[in-house]
Amino acid sequence: MKQSQAHVEDSRLQAERRRTFRGSARISLDALHFRQHKHRDLDTKHVEYLKGCFRKDRCRRLEVRNHIEAEVDQQILDVALRDSNVTARELLTNQPNGCPELVFPQGFQLECLHGQHRIQAAREFLLPTDKWWTVDLYTSDINEDLKTCLNEQHSNEDRPTDGEAYCKIRYYHFQRDTKAELRWKACLRGCRLKNLKGLLLDDTFTAGFDALLDIPGVWDGMRLTTLQKMMAMGCRDVSRPFSVWRVLIVAQQECLNYLRRIKEVFMGLVGKDALGRIDTATVKALEGRAPGASTKDLSELQGGKIFSAFSNREREMIYERLKMIDGLVPSLFTFFRDIQYLKRCIDCLERLVIVPKRESVCETLARTYSDANQREGHVKIQITEDTFLDQAATPAERVDLGVRQLIALAMRDYPAMPADPVKEDPVQTAPTNADPAVLRRLAELAYELGFDTPQIRALKEYPILRTARLESSSSPPLHVTSGDGVAMPHRSGIPRTKAYEEDRHSLFVTHLHSEQQHRGEGITSFFVRKSVYLAFFGRPMSTNGGNDGSVRGSSPYVPERPASGNSSGRPRRIEEDIDDILSTYAQRGEDDPAQTSADTVEDADDTLDRSGEREWASARARERARERDRAREGREREERERAERERAERERAEREQVRLAQAEAERRQVQARLERERLAQEKLEEGRRRLEEQRLEEERRRLEEQRLEEERRRLEEQRLEEERRRLQRLGEQRLAEERLEEQRQEAERRRLEEQRQEEERKRLEKQRLEQGTICINFFIRERNSWRHLPLIPVNPAEPSEIARIAKKYMWKRIRTFNTRLKLLPPQDCFQAVFDDRTHTVLLIPNGLGIDEEIVESARKLHADARKRVLGLKRIATDDISQIHHFQKIQALNP
């Protein structure tokens, strides 16, 4: 069934291709245009890669697989065909010398469906006189299915990035285009499709990522493969169906905070409506920067080419907003690196509770808050390892700040609390167990802040070991520094060892929540840790109360007893022991009701002497009675509060019912009124529709008449153009005939002149032979021809004149050759040309190379010179013979 549907769809696409395809042509690169919002951002690395391919294997623009597709209006195409003197049939015919060239009107932009990287590479690689590409032309009425198919079949060849694939899949999902969505899912290779399906199963996280679809530039940082690895590291129960997503689930709210932070930062820079104009290059330049704190980062951003889709005025406003960014600029790239750091901190807190399925660690911790060890209306703030500060806070703020302080401790000591292995029978490796002392310190802090679970109590039972305590500094940590500060690669992910050791003593909420603004040349590693913390957890909820300024040690806060409490005269040491026992019991409340009074008395007997036993027992009984009274009052108060909440809920439900009834009545009235207005509007619309149809009919007639007039005008112009071309061809033929006649007359004149010069040379040669001299011919190479110089008469007994002339030309950087193109020294010129019976010396300038044409012309000069010299010698011999015969006759007959 699926195969038949695919066959029908392919047939439909092929039919649409045949209907709209107009052929292939060579088109100038200046006329090719790509819409920014329809194509992915230009990748300079890919452009450089294509330029390298052009250099290695040449730019093969005529191969069919390298063509690009474009859509063009039929009328514009007709104009281009007429101006280029090309027929529509030639576009569809494979010519022996390639596709025809089309010239579009000046300023016209041909919209291309794909290929912007190869066109950009061609613009930078090809010579200015050779900038064209082969384009397959389709009419502009091409349907969206074929357009999408043509565009995305090349996207699949380029192996789209994870971010591009996710954006396309979600786009077609919202468009309800299941076929296109499945086609893009088929592009995912390896484990990417499996990871994407797992992500889409969680609606919360899918919505978090979908909120970033408005910002196309951030998706280059999407890592589907990295997502699988990070989430697989967080598995605690391999039997759970969602175990691969464990890390994001146990820190769900924190990850969503980070994703929201990404959108908030970019929305604060450009506004909601301009998010789609942020490109990848801009996000790459901004991510990990701190323009609000680092002057160096701000200056580098101002000097770079970012926000290219914005005007100069808009960029100036954006640069001003960059100065107000608090912390680092986040992106999906930094998110997938920072989540590895979050995982290590969350692993530490998971030791304190048992996290239910599909619930985060922080939510589970908040539910375990028991308000134990807490002063009413106050929260304890840890400012050093052994020092706390009491601060007024609401119940919600107490829970929030308690969880944050546990996170801060995890940030300080996560290397000492690695996650336990999850395999039942693991391979023996080097031990990486957590430090018991650090685990006990974590449990003690959790209990100190009011959290109480069996896991916390179990960790508190770990033995007390002597471990190195952090030496906290009283001065606040530095956020900025002089110089470059933290390098860009180290501003995300797990911190480096040196930076971790430097920042440990400062990772307390008093420093992490500081709102003081800092500005300097570079940023410190603590600034990076603080930015990552705030990206995941955000700012704490505001506190209403003030700070009472009381600072105390690490022991639980216990109110002081009045001085009259020691009236029995017991030793002070015993009284302190009693106070400690009663305070500890009061803090536990009724967590252990099964403990008998005999056990309590036995524990107290260990600390009292025999003389004060009865008095101590009486005080203990009174204390227990007071504790029971407080517990009963607490239960009664809870009952009253619950009854009050139920009554308020009932009243709210009743008010809601009344409101809904009123709203229903109003809705019906509004619906009736809208129905009446709709009927009246329909009548008006009907009248307007009839008027509009009449107007459109008149407009259609007018346009038809105008079209016929334009057609007549076009035919007349076409006839005049053909007549002009015919007259032009006739004129060109006449000019060609006149040029041929002139060339023929010039050739005849040259022939007669050469004949006359040849006769004159023969006469002079004959005369000189009679006088005992010979003539040497000099030919010089000029403008691709040989120019004959005046003859030089020379007496064979004294040829120095030839050597002098040859030296003169050598000083002019002109070399001497015989007719066989052999280089001759000046002193040997005469003897060489005399011996080869040519009497001819060739002169060739130094800068002129000897090519085939010179060799061929020299061979012809050699033959002519030989004929001439031998012919003259025969004539001279005949004349001498006749003279000698005449003288002999005279001698015999005086």
Side-chain angles (χ1 to χ4, degrees), residues 186-454:
C187 300
L188 297 176
R189 297 174 175 84
C191 62
R192 289 178 172 84
L193 181 58
K194 177 182 177 182
N195 300 342
L196 177 63
K197 289 181 178 179
L199 175 62
L200 296 180
L201 288 175
D202 193 308
D203 295 338
T204 304
F205 274 114
T206 303
F209 282 103
D210 288 350
L212 299 178
L213 292 175
D214 298 336
I215 314 175
V218 303
W219 288 99
D220 187 67
M222 185 67 173
R223 297 292 184 268
L224 292 176
T225 53
T226 306
L227 189 65
Q228 164 70 12
K229 295 177 182 178
M230 291 185 299
M231 293 182 178
M233 288 189 295
C235 297
R236 290 293 179 268
D237 184 359
V238 295
S239 65
R240 296 187 180 183
F242 296 92
S243 60
V244 295
W245 307 100
R246 182 65 172 163
V247 171
L248 284 188
I249 290 172
V250 298
Q252 185 184 74
Q253 189 59 45
E254 290 72 29
C255 295
L256 293 176
N257 288 342
Y258 200 112
L259 296 177
R260 280 193 291 268
R261 171 66 177 168
I262 295 174
K263 188 169 184 179
E264 289 172 358
V265 169
F266 287 101
M267 189 183 299
L269 289 176
V270 302
K272 183 178 180 180
D273 297 334
L275 290 175
R277 295 155 63 187
I278 298 177
D279 54 12
T280 303
T282 299
V283 176
K284 285 290 185 185
L286 286 176
E287 62 186 7
R289 298 278 187 181
S294 173
T295 58
K296 182 176 182 294
D297 285 358
L298 183 62
S299 62
E300 291 179 355
L301 290 175
Q302 289 176 335
K305 297 180 179 179
I306 60 175
F307 298 103
S308 58
F310 295 82
S311 65
N312 292 333
R313 177 177 174 80
E314 290 173 328
R315 278 196 292 271
E316 291 177 358
M317 297 173 63
I318 292 172
Y319 288 142
E320 291 299 322
R321 296 176 188 145
L322 283 173
K323 301 177 183 178
M324 297 184 289
I325 293 180
D326 183 16
L328 300 176
V329 177
S331 68
L332 281 181
F333 173 77
T334 61
F335 169 75
F336 283 105
R337 284 176 56 85
D338 288 336
I339 202 174
Q340 303 177 48
Y341 177 64
L342 175 67
K343 173 196 174 298
R344 283 159 172 76
C345 297
I346 292 298
D347 285 344
C348 300
L349 300 190
E350 278 193 289
R351 296 176 177 274
L352 302 178
V353 290
I354 297 178
V355 183
K357 178 181 176 181
R358 309 295 291 174
E359 186 172 313
S360 70
V361 173
C362 294
E363 290 174 349
T364 306
L365 272 174
R367 287 195 297 102
T368 64
Y369 187 78
S370 65
D371 205 19
N373 308 320
Q374 304 300 302
R375 179 182 172 189
E376 185 68 26
H378 287 73
V379 64
K380 300 175 183 178
I381 303 295
Q382 186 182 26
I383 59 177
T384 67
E385 285 293 336
D386 301 320
T387 310
F388 290 83
L389 177 72
D390 279 344
Q391 179 175 304
T394 63
E397 292 167 350
R398 295 162 71 179
V399 177
D400 178 59
L401 290 173
V403 174
R404 289 173 180 272
Q405 293 184 77
L406 295 178
I407 290 289
L409 188 142
M411 294 171 64
R412 296 193 298 272
D413 294 322
Y414 72 86
M417 295 181 286
D420 293 332
V422 297
K423 295 183 179 180
E424 296 180 358
D425 188 15
V427 178
Q428 181 62 40
T429 59
T432 58
N433 295 330
D435 188 346
V438 178
L439 293 177
R440 174 165 181 152
R441 191 157 66 243
L442 174 65
E444 289 177 346
L445 177 61
Y447 189 77
E448 176 78 11
L449 297 174
F451 301 95
D452 190 10
T453 64

Side-chain angles (χ1 to χ4, degrees), residues 126-176:
L126 297 175
L127 296 175
T129 57
D130 193 35
K131 289 190 175 183
W132 58 268
W133 202 269
T134 309
V135 181
D136 294 339
L137 297 172
Y138 292 82
T139 56
S140 57
D141 60 344
I142 179 175
N143 65 22
E144 290 296 327
D145 292 339
L146 180 57
K147 187 185 298 185
T148 302
C149 181
L150 293 174
N151 185 15
E152 295 182 354
Q153 67 183 0
H154 293 275
S155 298
N156 294 343
E157 295 173 4
D158 295 340
R159 290 196 177 185
T161 62
D162 292 351
E164 182 182 4
Y166 182 87
C167 292
K168 289 289 186 180
I169 290 170
R170 298 306 293 166
Y171 169 77
Y172 288 121
H173 172 77
F174 295 133
Q175 296 293 324
R176 300 185 182 277

Side-chain angles (χ1 to χ4, degrees), residues 503-739:
D503 299 334
R504 284 186 65 194
H505 65 278
S506 302
L507 294 175
F508 294 92
V509 292
T510 52
H511 300 317
L512 294 174
H513 296 169
S514 173
E515 297 184 3
Q516 184 178 359
Q517 298 295 327
H518 304 271
R519 194 163 185 82
E521 186 175 359
I523 60 174
T524 63
S525 56
F526 178 80
F527 183 91
V528 175
R529 288 304 103 214
K530 177 181 176 181
S531 299
V532 174
Y533 166 82
L534 293 178
F536 279 118
F537 299 96
R539 292 281 181 185
M541 56 184 66
S542 61
T543 56
N544 299 325
N547 187 346
D548 61 5
S550 60
V551 180
R552 55 184 186 79
S554 60
S555 60
Y557 176 81
V558 180
E560 295 183 1
R561 292 180 177 269
S564 60
N566 191 14
S567 58
S568 61
R570 292 191 298 266
R572 183 62 181 173
R573 178 60 184 169
I574 296 176
E575 182 68 22
E576 291 175 355
D577 291 340
I578 295 174
D579 290 347
D580 291 341
I581 293 173
L582 294 178
S583 299
T584 304
Y585 183 79
Q587 291 166 5
R588 286 204 310 264
E590 297 183 356
D591 289 342
D592 193 8
Q595 186 176 8
T596 63
S597 59
D599 295 335
T600 307
V601 172
E602 183 178 355
D603 293 337
D605 287 342
D606 294 336
T607 60
L608 297 176
D609 56 7
R610 189 175 304 172
S611 61
E613 181 177 356
R614 291 182 179 179
E615 186 176 352
W616 177 87
S618 177
R620 179 177 61 99
R622 288 194 300 273
E623 184 66 25
R624 291 182 60 187
R626 284 194 296 271
E627 291 295 333
R628 285 194 298 270
D629 292 340
R630 283 196 293 270
R632 184 174 62 256
E633 292 174 358
R635 287 193 296 270
E636 292 174 354
R637 183 170 59 255
E638 291 178 358
E639 288 292 335
R640 288 194 301 271
E641 291 176 353
R642 182 169 62 254
E644 183 67 23
R645 286 196 299 270
E646 292 176 355
R647 184 183 62 79
E649 185 65 25
R650 286 194 301 272
E651 293 177 354
R652 189 191 63 78
E654 292 173 357
R655 289 194 301 271
E656 185 67 17
Q657 290 178 358
V658 173
R659 188 186 64 79
L660 291 176
Q662 294 175 353
E664 181 65 21
E666 293 176 356
R667 186 187 64 80
R668 290 176 181 176
Q669 294 176 1
V670 171
Q671 186 175 2
R673 179 175 57 80
L674 292 177
E675 182 66 20
R676 292 192 298 271
E677 293 178 353
R678 184 184 64 81
L679 293 175
Q681 186 68 22
E682 286 181 354
K683 292 181 180 179
L684 292 175
E685 287 293 333
E686 184 66 24
R688 282 198 293 268
R689 189 181 304 110
R690 286 196 298 268
L691 293 175
E692 184 67 19
E693 289 176 355
Q694 294 176 2
R695 187 187 65 78
L696 291 177
E697 181 65 22
E698 294 175 356
E699 183 68 17
R700 186 186 63 79
R701 292 175 182 174
R702 185 183 64 79
L703 291 176
E704 183 67 19
E705 294 175 357
Q706 183 178 353
R707 187 185 64 80
L708 293 175
E709 181 64 26
E710 291 178 353
E711 183 67 19
R712 287 194 295 270
R713 188 182 303 110
R714 186 182 64 80
L715 293 175
E716 181 65 21
E717 291 176 354
Q718 185 176 357
R719 185 186 64 79
L720 294 175
E721 180 66 18
E722 292 176 353
E723 181 67 19
R724 183 186 64 78
R725 292 179 180 177
R726 186 181 65 80
L727 294 176
Q728 184 178 357
R729 285 196 297 272
L730 291 176
E732 291 175 353
Q733 290 177 359
R734 285 198 300 272
L735 290 175
E737 292 175 355
E738 292 176 357
R739 283 196 295 270

